[in-house]
Amino acid sequence: MLRLVIFDMDGTILDNEEFTISSKVIEGKKLGYNISEDIAKNTLGMSTKKSKEYFASIYGDDFPYDYFRQKRFDYIFDDIKKSGIKYKKGTLELLNYLKENNYLIALCTSSTIKYINEYKKYTSIFDMFDVIITGEQIKNGKPNPEIFNKAMEILNVKPQETLVIEDSNNGILAGINSNSDVIMIPDLVGPNDEVKKHQIKIFNSLLDVIEYIHNLKK
């Protein structure tokens, strides 16, 4: 029986992954780094540590990773100040459905509490979650399942009672490794060959998840 639904944040409930790509490509050119969109996309869903190691493997240990990380959030919050928070299709509908039907909900993101608190200035959506786990609370980032396992432990829920919703391949693999049910809602990148091996469920939007969960109760 399903009791807990775990969400990733960027690209899953918040429509902001375009800035992850554009900030690296644009700011990279300014500093003389030829960062392609494909290279930037490869970091989607990675922990800060793994992403930093990835860029260092390409551009060397002196690559100014912290600069690019800060620029990403500058791009995101500059857009929020202009246009407001952008949610992925079905975000509010699904969260309201889950609350109305007494499911537990968790947010598991490689982002930090600093940026969660910044987001809270523009939306009350984070108040809906029973627990929020951020990148600095774990040692091993996705695709390691530690972040999902921590949420289940805190809420006293078993993997067979948990559904993980993710947009990135790293996040999906973390969900699979946690032995939970997994749904992918692709954002900028579709399933890679490794994810395809597991024949996971792939939906067009979070609205489709409402019907999926509703059918589980029949």
Side-chain angles (χ1 to χ4, degrees), residues 65-91:
Y65 179 81
D66 292 339
Y67 169 85
F68 283 92
R69 181 171 174 78
Q70 181 59 52
K71 281 297 179 181
R72 174 197 174 209
F73 287 104
D74 289 347
Y75 277 47
I76 289 173
F77 289 112
D78 283 348
D79 184 71
I80 289 174
K81 291 171 185 176
K82 295 175 185 175
S83 307
I85 289 275
K86 295 178 182 176
Y87 302 108
K88 296 294 292 185
K89 182 179 179 181
T91 293

Side-chain angles (χ1 to χ4, degrees), residues 142-160:
K142 305 168 187 176
N144 187 291
E146 181 183 350
I147 195 166
F148 297 144
N149 292 341
K150 188 175 183 69
M152 286 186 272
E153 180 182 356
I154 290 172
L155 296 172
N156 194 27
V157 177
K158 300 174 182 177
Q160 58 266 35

